[in-house]
Amino acid sequence: MPSYSFQLNGDTVTVDVPAAASLLWVLRDTLGVTGPKYGCGVGVCRACTSHIDGDAFQPCTTPVADCAGRTVTTIEGLADGDVLHPVQQAWIDEDVAQCGYCQPGQIMAAVALLAANPNPTDADIDAIENVCRCGTYVRIRRAIHRAASS
Ligand code: FES
Ligand code: FES
């Protein structure tokens, strides 16, 4: 079986898995990193949203071979030790989560948006395509504005 190494949340990891294995299942099943959630497996719901080289992406549609030598960050890698990322703190302050299932992906999408656009409009925020079946979109919008002004 081929071997692939990449940076994951600050550490170098090496996995022996088929080249076509989806990164989402490598993260969850091989590496035990379960923040990225499985919703659709086809790049639509965005529950698995994480970052690769600082950009938001969907691990469910990314073969592990495409990650070799790159830097992957999941929700587990966002906080600085015990200090939450400002977006995570804003999520708590605005009490965003309901069931919580979509929230790691929502937060990772929000962090990527703010990195590209530090002062997004409501329309910019509403362009995030992550699905929330609980309908927390209004609170997501408030939390992103709060993080932008923090
Ligand atoms: S699981 Fe739905 S986009 Fe990845
Ligand atoms: S909080 Fe339940 S799906 Fe988003």
Side-chain angles (χ1 to χ4, degrees), residues 45-123:
C45 74
R46 308 208 171 201
C48 64
T49 300
S50 301
H51 295 173
I52 190 162
D53 296 337
D55 295 324
F57 81 123
Q58 281 68 54
C60 69
T61 53
T62 304
V64 67
D66 289 359
C67 304
R70 302 179 73 181
T71 297
V72 174
T73 307
T74 68
I75 189 81
E76 287 88 345
L78 213 52
D80 181 7
D82 290 337
V83 179
L84 292 177
H85 187 284
V87 173
Q88 292 174 301
Q89 187 60 55
W91 242 248
I92 291 172
D93 294 341
E94 293 293 344
D95 198 16
V96 174
Q98 288 194 24
C99 81
Y101 195 81
C102 75
Q103 298 295 324
Q106 301 283 3
I107 289 172
M108 295 306 280
V111 171
L113 170 65
L114 289 169
N117 180 357
N119 193 20
T121 64
D122 285 350

